[in-house]
Amino acid sequence: MAGKPTIADVARAAGVSKGLVSFALNDRPGVAADTKRRILAVADELGFRPSLQGRALSTRLAYSVGLVIARDPRLVAADPFYPPFIAGAEQVLIAAGRTLTLSMLAPDRDEAAHYRALADDRRVDGVLLGDLRPDDPRLPLLAELGLPAVTIGPSGDPRCSSVVVDDVAGVRATVQHLADLGHRRVAVIAGPRTLEHGARRADAFRAALHERGVEPLIVETDFSPAAAAEVADRLLDLPAEHRPTALVCGNDVAAVAATGRAMRRGIRVPLDLSVCGFDDAEIAQWTHPALTTVGTHPTRWGAAAAQALLDLLAGGAPTEVRLEPARLVVRDSTGPAPAGPAAPGPAPSGPAPA
Amino acid sequence: MAGKPTIADVARAAGVSKGLVSFALNDRPGVAADTKRRILAVADELGFRPSLQGRALSTRLAYSVGLVIARDPRLVAADPFYPPFIAGAEQVLIAAGRTLTLSMLAPDRDEAAHYRALADDRRVDGVLLGDLRPDDPRLPLLAELGLPAVTIGPSGDPRCSSVVVDDVAGVRATVQHLADLGHRRVAVIAGPRTLEHGARRADAFRAALHERGVEPLIVETDFSPAAAAEVADRLLDLPAEHRPTALVCGNDVAAVAATGRAMRRGIRVPLDLSVCGFDDAEIAQWTHPALTTVGTHPTRWGAAAAQALLDLLAGGAPTEVRLEPARLVVRDSTGPAPAGPAAPGPAPSGPAPA
DNA sequence: TAGGGTTCCTAAACCGGTTCAAAGACGACG
DNA sequence: CGTCGTCTTTGAACCGGTTTAGGAACCCTA
């Protein structure tokens, strides 16, 4: 017995057949109690660990789950969401003896072929689906391939579980916060509508702003800081009476970029312009001014998604797991709306400029 | 033949034995040319794809490689290095029919056990090793486990390949840049010496500063923005004649944090204080002021590391792959050293303050 | 035409588990 | 005492590849 002990070694040492050892190890009925005890003792003594590969071949299981991030790597790099998400998912998966198989798929690569290969090769038993799109074509594909899936965000598909955070709550809180500060021209530099959460948040902003009687000015971008900077420039070029007094960005890095453009023109944040981010990334608390943003818990999100997938793999029915709603974190990048040049209503209190 | 065709199906259809089909598909000698052609044709027609699991069982190969990130998830979240690194590695691996198995290991988790499990379960054929430490205990462990490894950064171990970027060049360029701007008190907010690149860069800074006659003031931190902020505060509390005129930070997020603390006290960057980052993360070009930093190419780094591992797996000898040296990217966060209160030498040119 | 070497191919073992049909042991019951 | 049912266990097939020992057919040479 040079290498690691196999199930046959255990069987021989315990004086029983391979099959019985397998039954005993897998807690299946029909094994006499003290036989089972003996087998387990022998297995333990020999330091037996079943071979994943042998088991995989007969069970047709991979004991691994996939995470497919379908986005340009450069955008992923600027997005602090995934690392903690992955950390959370990992923690749960490792405890369950599973590993995480990661795929970062540039958008120009053939998605369908990739999923198909993943399924055909039985590399994963299920997948965590990020960057969900409206009517995502991956959902029917995965169903066809027989791969259980958990979506990050609401899918509307009864075949897969999803883990959702009510970020509408965060959106409404943001709008309320800005409205309370007197802002009446608020621009939203939103993510692309081709992303489910991009569209959902944009709609939520539109509704919340409208509800407060603020004219919604929503610009769709690709979530990149470059796009945010460019849009910010364009908005700040507007004549003073049309220029927004607050900018709400789709993520924190975009907010940093927008703030940067404003400061470059001498526009002070938050004195002349308020800026909000989204995600509550680590960086948000360290910029100057520290960023007002909407926070979720990517780590918990990852853990919940992994758990939901494990439940699904164990034969559970698809569910929708709701995490705690996104929370507005007020920091220093938002302040009272500046008195506009022709702004109606009372002038700001305090001494007038000399 | 309900499911996918197996090698036995191909053998039957081609009228030969399983073994011969295996030989033909794997380009092994001893198969008559036209028999081989026929077998391949039949396999193609049937849409045969060998089962990974069957193959894995007999070859004892996983056709997957591991990436183990040994760091607190929160620190990984703030570090924009890994996502593009992973993207680069993935691209190469997928082309070679391998997948990436990711492990994010919180530092409190039992590392050795994790690697051992990875090896025992044959989940991976080799690993990419990040966050290298001096005399890293993982190197002998992996050697014992028989897992080929490629280190990110120099390992000094002849058993594994490594992919290195000469960031000393970037360090020297940074010091020269600051020295040219007249800085004589430069503080380095370095990463921990428990990380190989932390120690290496700190040493390089010490040497380069010393060489230029600048007193090296090197503070070791854990790379986190929080630590950078705290150290920055402490340094800026120093009496003016000891206060550094330039801060060099271990990464870009730390630099943003340090800049934030300075600005909070009304210290203008770069007028009163110059700040440098490291990594050239996406965010560096969008902050205000845009960050002077040292850039590498994480994507290429990832691709090179993956390729080096594939070479190792194919039986090649361990090598050290050198990528292009880190490059200083000068932006707006560095400027001429302010004239000190008791600074010797000529006063700055230009009109004196009114 | 026997002997020796190639070339091409087959059959079976092997990797390490799981699963299932069937057989053996045993006690209870009529 | 024979029969039936339950509990426990065995042996073999199976998952889908790779690998190896050996056999058949062929050519070349003496």
Side-chain angles (χ1 to χ4, degrees), chain A residues 252 280-293 329 331-332, chain B residues 225-226 229 256-257 260-261 264:
Chain A
D252 290 341
D280 196 14
E282 175 86 7
I283 189 138
Q285 53 188 303
W286 300 112
T287 53
H288 180 76
L291 204 56
T292 293
T293 183
V329 182
R331 296 206 181 90
D332 311 328
Chain B
V256 168
R261 303 314 282 202
R264 182 149 311 180

Side-chain angles (χ1 to χ4, degrees), chain B residues 171-323:
Chain B
V171 165
R172 299 179 64 89
T174 304
V175 169
Q176 160 132 30
H177 170 63
L178 292 174
D180 287 352
L181 287 169
H183 292 275
R184 289 295 170 265
R185 288 190 305 277
V186 174
V188 178
I189 303 180
R193 295 196 70 84
T194 52
L195 248 37
E196 186 276 334
H197 64 286
R200 185 158 36 86
R201 284 187 210 158
D203 292 344
F205 269 113
R206 190 182 313 278
L209 288 168
H210 190 264
E211 193 175 298
R212 304 217 157 249
V214 179
E215 181 66 24
L217 172 53
I218 299 185
V219 186
E220 182 181 338
T221 74
D222 63 1
F223 262 141
S224 72
E230 195 247 306
V231 170
D233 268 338
R234 230 169 49 219
L235 291 171
L236 298 175
D237 271 341
L238 291 175
E241 68 273 21
H242 289 122
R243 188 195 301 157
T245 60
L247 251 36
V248 181
C249 300
N251 60 60
D252 291 340
V253 180
V256 168
T259 305
R261 303 314 282 202
M263 291 168 89
R264 182 149 311 180
R265 331 176 144 230
I267 295 176
R268 295 160 301 170
V269 176
L271 257 50
D272 307 320
L273 178 74
S274 287
V275 177
C276 294
F278 211 103
D279 285 343
D280 195 16
E282 174 87 7
I283 188 137
Q285 53 188 304
W286 301 111
T287 53
H288 180 76
L291 203 57
T292 293
T293 184
V294 173
T296 61
H297 286 284
T299 308
R300 284 182 222 166
W301 206 338
Q307 190 55 56
L309 186 50
L310 290 178
D311 292 348
L312 217 48
L313 292 178
T319 53
E320 186 180 86
V321 181
R322 300 179 167 282
L323 302 180

Side-chain angles (χ1 to χ4, degrees), chain A residues 132-140 155 194 196:
Chain A
L132 214 57
R133 309 191 281 269
D135 286 316
D136 202 306
R138 297 176 296 173
L139 263 26
S155 71
T194 52
E196 186 277 334

